[in-house]
Amino acid sequence: MDFELEPTLESIVQQDTLKWIFVGGKGGVGKTTTSSSIAVQLALNHPNDQFLLISTDPAHNLSDAFCQKFGKDARKVDGLSNLSCMEIDPEAAMSDLQQQAQQYNNDPNDPLKSMMNDMTGSIPGIDEALSFMEVLKHIKSQKVDENDDKDKISYRTIIFDTAPTGHTLRFLQLPSTLQKLLSKFQALSGKFGPMMSMLGGGNQQEMFDKLNEVQKNVTEVNEQFTNPDLTTFVCVCISEFLSLYETERMIQELMSYNMDVNSIVVNQLLFADDDEKPCKRCVSRWKMQKKYLDQMAELYEDYHLVKMPLLGTEIRGVENLKKFSKFLLTPYDPKVNGDLVTSLEEK
Amino acid sequence: MGILAALDLHPYTLVVSSFTVLLIQQLVGFIGKSTIQEFAWLFYLRVGGKLGLSNSFVAHTKKQEELHKLNREKRSISAQDEYAKWTKLNRQAEKLTAEVKSLSDDIAKDKSKINSLVGVVLLFLTTLPLWVFRLWFRKSVLFYLPTGVFPYYVERVLAIPFFASGSVGLTVWMFAVNNVISSVLFLLTFPFKPSVPIPIRQTKVEEVVPESAESKESSPEVIDIADAN
């Protein structure tokens, strides 16, 4: 029996329980377009629910994709009343946090301060975790209605357009490390706490509390993110060697975090087989793309492999995104849908 | 007290056994504890492999060979042309690498276990018996010297610490045995030691000494410099 999975993202769009969708891949493969498209399709298919699309990329391009200025706070997309977007800079959130930490302890001569900084700075994934916590806090503070519950996220699904650099999800490996470290810290603070407070510390306890809080949050988030009913990851790539290689590495890494990955979107395909006036370059490049597509089909047979065409222009604006994103759900057929390539309105 | 009651040894047994233990101790010191540990490790690998004790080492060798084969295969094909095949190999190689790492961790653990075992065995063979002897037989006389052989002051010295003149206790016996064994060891090994070149005293005057002069064992120039100072 052949278990070929349908080459669409329908399972993601139709799945009722999903709370988080991450879209990731290397730079320039169409992450933003794909995440916007997924968000648009979700919003179109569930008109009664609210969705949020977040970009954590410092080089923000959601604004460009939707031709509308977005900022730190969620704002509704014109023409799609149940989709909001926001662009946040996790680095900025991080530096806020550091300033906060400085308030606890602003004595430059305190040796414990630098020790604490060094220790927290050297845990792998702690930066990512802290900035992610800030992002989450920020999301929680975003409300669709004035009278929404305070501690609840008021969106049905949140779509993340992750930054191409770094490992946004590296903090998923954090809970176990942090747990060990914190238990050590606590043992230490139990022993030396009185001495520290005698030495004029006294604020250390707050630092420990803070770390404890981080650990609690990280564990909670980790539980959510490794639950395939709640979270999924969509890989975006183009049909070229290096992009495939990076995708493979990303998938392996995500799998090592126990994260659910079952969809790969292959962007920028040329589909040059049935062109009326075939251009030589397109035909040969399409041949190359087909080569890698075949290899991918062999490698990722238990994944949803979504093939998306390369269009004549940039895909910008809600209307264009709606047109394009349709093909995330119904496979693109160059014979029937070929006019899509040139039919986008220029913005 | 049953064990200590069994320690009611005859003085001559004590003489022989303390000699044996001290001999073992000196030999261990001469060979070096780390050499013995290394040897025990090799022995464990050889014998343990047959008895099914050091499985991880066998598995490690096998896995490493596999990994080498995989890597060779991976290098022989083009990643661009046969991407799927290459990636599958790569996945296998990564998995194997992780396994090899965990196995070598196991082996390191085994090795440290063997090392500490050897340490314990050596402790029981050498240090502990000596302490038991020293504590338990601190007052027993090992043997008496025939009267008139040594002058009285020598007899007094040999009776250290608190024995009657003319008797010999553990303290002096162990001291003597230690000295004899180390002297014998020294005499036996001395001819095989690498020769040490005659040290040259450094002079403040910067003189270019020809290289050949340094290698000669007793070159006249060297003596001259030494004499001049």
Side-chain angles (χ1 to χ4, degrees):
Chain A
M1 212 162 92
D2 201 9
F3 275 111
E4 191 122 322
L5 291 168
E6 72 277 15
T8 62
L9 290 182
E10 200 168 345
S11 63
I12 289 180
V13 175
Q14 300 300 344
Q15 198 175 331
D16 286 329
T17 53
L18 275 184
K19 281 200 81 75
W20 311 94
I21 298 173
F22 287 87
V23 180
K26 283 286 150 185
V29 294
K31 268 190 312 297
T32 304
T33 309
T34 309
S35 54
S36 310
S37 300
I38 293 173
V40 165
Q41 278 305 317
L42 276 168
L44 286 176
N45 275 281
H46 308 277
N48 298 324
D49 294 306
Q50 290 291 329
F51 295 92
L52 178 63
L53 172 60
I54 298 174
S55 160
T56 50
D57 192 341
H60 292 304
N61 26 32
L62 280 186
S63 302
D64 295 333
F66 284 96
C67 294
Q68 185 187 340
K69 193 69 200 144
F70 297 114
K72 229 180 118 193
D73 294 311
R75 186 177 299 164
K76 284 190 176 168
V77 174
D78 297 337
L80 256 183
S81 58
N82 59 341
L83 176 63
S84 314
C85 290
M86 65 192 213
E87 295 177 334
I88 17 181
D89 193 348
E91 296 284 324
M94 186 70 189
S95 69
D96 277 359
L97 194 83
Q98 271 164 354
Q99 271 172 3
Q100 224 178 330
Q102 231 145 45
Q103 279 176 359
Y104 286 131
N105 189 347
N106 46 14
D107 179 5
N109 294 324
D110 189 351
L112 283 167
K113 183 189 172 192
S114 64
M115 191 180 84
M116 208 59 103
N117 274 348
D118 288 349
M119 269 203 271
T120 48
S122 59
I123 310 167
I126 189 96
D127 280 13
E128 287 88 345
L130 288 178
S131 59
F132 201 83
M133 293 305 128
E134 287 302 300
V135 171
L136 282 192
K137 216 187 270 173
H138 193 65
I139 294 170
K140 277 188 184 169
S141 69
Q142 302 297 317
K143 295 296 156 214
V144 183
D145 275 327
E146 292 283 308
N147 46 8
D148 266 353
D149 188 2
K150 264 208 161 163
D151 280 336
K152 241 184 95 200
I153 294 170
S154 51
Y155 297 94
R156 172 183 148 135
T157 307
I158 291 164
I159 303 110
F160 269 94
D161 178 20
T162 62
T165 50
H167 309 272
T168 323
L169 294 167
R170 202 170 68 154
F171 69 87
L172 286 176
Q173 69 180 35
L174 191 63
S176 57
T177 330
L178 208 58
Q179 198 140 30
K180 271 184 232 158
L181 196 85
L182 273 175
S183 59
K184 291 244 169 70
F185 268 169
Q186 260 152 3
L188 259 181
S189 77
K191 274 180 193 154
F192 296 116
M195 197 181 81
M196 280 177 183
S197 55
M198 257 174 75
L199 288 172
N203 294 325
Q204 262 68 38
Q205 200 49 47
E206 283 174 74
M207 197 69 198
F208 285 127
D209 290 347
K210 188 97 190 156
L211 274 173
N212 267 327
E213 194 194 311
V214 168
Q215 197 230 353
K216 215 185 89 212
N217 285 339
V218 170
T219 317
E220 204 175 289
V221 168
N222 202 31
E223 265 164 29
Q224 285 208 14
F225 282 2
T226 50
N227 183 347
D229 290 334
L230 296 179
T231 310
T232 195
F233 199 100
V234 178
C235 293
V236 185
C237 66
I238 54 178
S239 195
E240 277 172 27
F241 172 70
L242 215 52
S243 179
L244 292 195
Y245 177 73
E246 295 288 356
T247 307
E248 164 73 15
R249 302 229 328 203
M250 188 167 72
I251 289 174
Q252 295 299 333
E253 195 182 335
L254 288 169
M255 271 159 56
S256 77
Y257 303 149
N258 296 320
M259 211 168 169
D260 174 60
V261 196
N262 56 24
S263 316
I264 302 173
V265 177
V266 191
N267 263 329
Q268 303 182 4
L269 295 175
L270 284 165
F271 293 109
D273 282 337
D274 302 300
D275 282 359
E276 291 146 26
K277 288 176 277 172
C279 95
K280 265 189 195 164
R281 184 186 296 168
C282 302
V283 169
S284 84
R285 195 143 185 95
W286 170 232
K287 211 177 120 198
M288 177 205 84
Q289 290 183 336
K290 269 200 294 191
K291 180 181 89 179
Y292 285 120
L293 276 179
D294 289 345
Q295 305 281 328
M296 280 189 92
E298 193 188 332
L299 261 182
Y300 304 110
E301 45 192 7
D302 43 358
Y303 288 74
H304 298 282
L305 267 182
V306 189
K307 296 168 191 167
M308 298 300 275
L310 177 69
L311 303 192
T313 52
E314 287 176 314
I315 303 154
R316 297 175 66 181
V318 181
E319 289 313 311
N320 287 341
L321 279 169
K322 277 182 188 168
K323 275 187 202 163
F324 178 73
S325 61
K326 216 164 61 186
F327 298 105
L328 289 173
L329 298 189
T330 46
Y332 173 82
D333 184 347
K335 277 181 212 157
V336 186
N337 317 110
D339 58 325
L340 175 75
V341 176
T342 46
S343 71
L344 297 192
E345 318 149 29
E346 288 264 9
K347 290 262 172 176
Chain B
M1 293 307 272
I3 308 161
L4 292 178
L7 279 178
D8 191 13
L9 300 175
H10 192 273
Y12 285 141
T13 321
L14 212 51
V15 166
V16 175
S17 50
S18 61
F19 175 82
T20 321
V21 170
L22 281 173
L23 182 68
I24 294 172
Q25 196 185 32
Q26 289 270 359
L27 282 177
V28 167
F30 177 70
I31 297 167
K33 196 175 168 186
S34 55
T35 320
I36 296 174
Q37 279 168 338
E38 202 62 31
F39 192 76
W41 172 241
L42 290 178
F43 181 75
Y44 171 76
L45 285 187
R46 182 164 292 179
V47 176
K50 278 172 197 156
L51 296 176
L53 284 171
S54 51
N55 282 332
S56 49
F57 190 77
V58 181
H60 182 261
T61 326
K62 221 172 100 191
K63 286 264 154 71
Q64 202 132 37
E65 262 167 36
E66 252 173 80
L67 188 62
H68 278 305
K69 220 177 91 190
L70 259 181
N71 278 332
R72 220 175 303 135
E73 201 178 339
K74 212 172 88 184
R75 250 176 281 132
S76 73
I77 64 173
S78 152
Q80 251 108 340
D81 292 340
E82 290 166 277
Y83 178 74
K85 198 178 164 199
W86 187 86
T87 305
K88 276 176 185 166
L89 286 175
N90 200 29
R91 281 181 197 170
Q92 278 177 35
E94 262 166 34
K95 213 175 126 216
L96 263 180
T97 316
E99 279 173 28
V100 164
K101 200 179 162 285
S102 84
L103 277 174
S104 52
D105 284 354
D106 283 355
I107 290 172
K109 253 185 230 158
D110 267 9
K111 188 162 184 181
S112 75
K113 245 189 235 164
I114 292 282
N115 280 354
S116 61
L117 186 75
V118 168
V120 168
V121 166
L122 287 182
L123 181 80
F124 272 92
L125 273 180
T126 58
T127 318
L128 266 184
L130 287 182
W131 278 105
V132 170
F133 291 159
R134 271 187 200 132
L135 268 174
W136 200 247
F137 301 104
R138 64 190 181 279
K139 286 180 184 165
S140 33
V141 175
L142 295 188
F143 53 85
Y144 297 95
L145 298 167
T147 41
V149 173
F150 295 113
Y152 76 96
Y153 46 85
V154 175
E155 282 187 356
R156 288 289 282 277
V157 170
L158 291 178
I160 278 175
F162 310 113
F163 296 103
S165 189
S167 46
V168 172
L170 256 182
T171 321
V172 170
W173 175 243
M174 281 186 179
F175 174 76
V177 165
N178 258 335
N179 266 314
V180 168
I181 295 176
S182 57
S183 304
V184 168
L185 271 179
F186 177 73
L187 285 176
L188 286 179
T189 53
F190 183 70
F192 306 105
K193 289 235 169 93
S195 60
V196 182
I198 293 174
I200 303 164
R201 190 176 289 175
Q202 295 292 313
T203 47
K204 277 181 188 164
V205 187
E206 279 188 27
E207 230 176 324
V208 185
V209 182
E211 276 206 324
S212 58
E214 282 178 357
S215 60
K216 275 183 206 163
E217 278 209 8
S218 58
S219 67
E221 284 133 339
V222 174
I223 291 171
D224 280 352
I225 293 163
D227 285 351
N229 285 290

